[in-house]
Amino acid sequence: MARENLKLFTTISFYIALFTALVFPISIFLSLSTSNESAHSLLAAPVLISSLASLFALPFSIVSLFSKEHLAKRIFAILVNLLPIAIIVYGLTLEVMDEFFRPAP
Protein backbone atom coordinates (compact mmCIF):
# COMPACT_ATOMS: atom_id res chain seq x y z
CA MET A 1 0.00 0.00 0.00
CA ALA A 2 1.41 3.40 -0.93
CA ARG A 3 2.12 5.95 1.75
CA GLU A 4 -0.47 8.31 0.26
CA ASN A 5 -3.19 5.68 0.70
CA LEU A 6 -2.59 5.44 4.45
CA LYS A 7 -4.52 8.68 4.99
CA LEU A 8 -7.67 6.66 5.74
CA PHE A 9 -5.98 4.85 8.63
CA THR A 10 -4.72 8.15 10.04
CA THR A 11 -8.17 9.71 9.79
CA ILE A 12 -9.89 6.79 11.54
CA SER A 13 -7.35 6.63 14.35
CA PHE A 14 -7.36 10.42 14.76
CA TYR A 15 -11.14 10.66 15.13
CA ILE A 16 -11.22 7.78 17.61
CA ALA A 17 -8.40 9.43 19.56
CA LEU A 18 -10.29 12.71 19.54
CA PHE A 19 -13.40 10.97 20.87
CA THR A 20 -11.32 9.31 23.59
CA ALA A 21 -9.62 12.58 24.49
CA LEU A 22 -13.02 14.22 24.94
CA VAL A 23 -14.76 11.40 26.82
CA PHE A 24 -12.12 10.56 29.43
CA PRO A 25 -11.69 14.03 31.02
CA ILE A 26 -15.43 14.69 30.96
CA SER A 27 -16.19 11.38 32.64
CA ILE A 28 -13.49 11.88 35.27
CA PHE A 29 -14.76 15.39 36.04
CA LEU A 30 -18.35 14.25 36.30
CA SER A 31 -17.51 11.24 38.45
CA LEU A 32 -15.54 13.43 40.85
CA SER A 33 -18.17 16.15 41.05
CA THR A 34 -21.18 13.88 41.60
CA SER A 35 -21.65 11.34 44.33
CA ASN A 36 -24.76 9.91 42.72
CA GLU A 37 -24.53 6.24 41.71
CA SER A 38 -26.85 6.75 38.74
CA ALA A 39 -24.31 9.11 37.18
CA HIS A 40 -21.65 6.42 37.38
CA SER A 41 -23.81 3.98 35.44
CA LEU A 42 -24.44 6.64 32.79
CA LEU A 43 -20.71 7.33 32.47
CA ALA A 44 -19.75 3.68 32.15
CA ALA A 45 -21.07 3.23 28.62
CA PRO A 46 -19.19 6.09 26.89
CA VAL A 47 -15.95 5.21 28.70
CA LEU A 48 -16.27 1.56 27.73
CA ILE A 49 -17.07 2.44 24.11
CA SER A 50 -14.15 4.85 23.87
CA SER A 51 -11.78 2.34 25.46
CA LEU A 52 -12.77 -0.43 23.09
CA ALA A 53 -12.66 1.91 20.10
CA SER A 54 -9.22 3.03 21.20
CA LEU A 55 -8.03 -0.58 21.35
CA PHE A 56 -9.48 -1.08 17.88
CA ALA A 57 -7.72 2.06 16.59
CA LEU A 58 -4.30 1.24 18.03
CA PRO A 59 -3.20 -0.90 15.03
CA PHE A 60 -4.48 1.85 12.73
CA SER A 61 -2.37 4.35 14.66
CA ILE A 62 0.71 2.21 14.28
CA VAL A 63 0.14 1.80 10.55
CA SER A 64 -0.60 5.50 10.16
CA LEU A 65 2.85 6.36 11.50
CA PHE A 66 4.15 5.48 8.02
CA SER A 67 1.77 7.85 6.20
CA LYS A 68 2.49 11.32 4.90
CA GLU A 69 -0.04 13.06 7.15
CA HIS A 70 0.94 15.77 9.61
CA LEU A 71 3.31 14.43 12.23
CA ALA A 72 1.42 16.05 15.10
CA LYS A 73 -1.80 14.35 14.00
CA ARG A 74 -0.12 10.93 13.88
CA ILE A 75 1.59 11.34 17.25
CA PHE A 76 -1.61 12.60 18.88
CA ALA A 77 -3.48 9.56 17.56
CA ILE A 78 -0.98 7.02 18.84
CA LEU A 79 -0.52 8.62 22.26
CA VAL A 80 -4.22 9.04 22.98
CA ASN A 81 -5.06 5.57 21.67
CA LEU A 82 -2.48 4.16 24.09
CA LEU A 83 -4.16 5.96 27.00
CA PRO A 84 -6.64 3.21 28.06
CA ILE A 85 -3.95 0.54 27.94
CA ALA A 86 -1.61 2.74 29.97
CA ILE A 87 -4.28 3.34 32.62
CA ILE A 88 -4.98 -0.40 32.94
CA VAL A 89 -1.26 -1.27 33.18
CA TYR A 90 -0.75 1.48 35.77
CA GLY A 91 -3.63 0.16 37.87
CA LEU A 92 -2.39 -3.43 37.68
CA THR A 93 1.13 -2.34 38.61
CA LEU A 94 -0.13 -0.46 41.65
CA GLU A 95 -2.24 -3.45 42.67
CA VAL A 96 0.74 -5.83 42.44
CA MET A 97 2.94 -3.42 44.37
CA ASP A 98 0.29 -3.06 47.05
CA GLU A 99 -0.11 -6.82 47.32
CA PHE A 100 3.56 -7.73 47.55
CA PHE A 101 4.99 -4.75 49.44
CA ARG A 102 2.34 -4.52 52.14
CA PRO A 103 3.62 -5.53 55.58
CA ALA A 104 2.52 -8.94 56.81
CA PRO A 105 -0.28 -8.99 59.38
Side-chain angles (χ1 to χ4, degrees), residues 2 9 13 17 21 24 37 40 42 44-45 51 66 74-75 77 90 97 104:
F9 292 120
S13 65
F24 267 78
E37 285 297 320
H40 292 288
L42 289 174
S51 298
F66 300 106
R74 293 181 283 165
I75 290 175
Y90 177 73
M97 287 175 60

Side-chain angles (χ1 to χ4, degrees), residues 23-37:
V23 167
F24 267 78
I26 291 171
S27 66
I28 291 171
F29 174 74
L30 289 177
S31 68
L32 291 177
S33 64
T34 62
S35 62
N36 192 358
E37 285 297 320

Side-chain angles (χ1 to χ4, degrees), residues 37-57:
E37 285 297 320
S38 64
H40 292 288
S41 63
L42 289 174
L43 294 174
V47 171
L48 180 65
I49 290 170
S50 68
S51 298
L52 292 176
S54 182
L55 290 176
F56 172 75

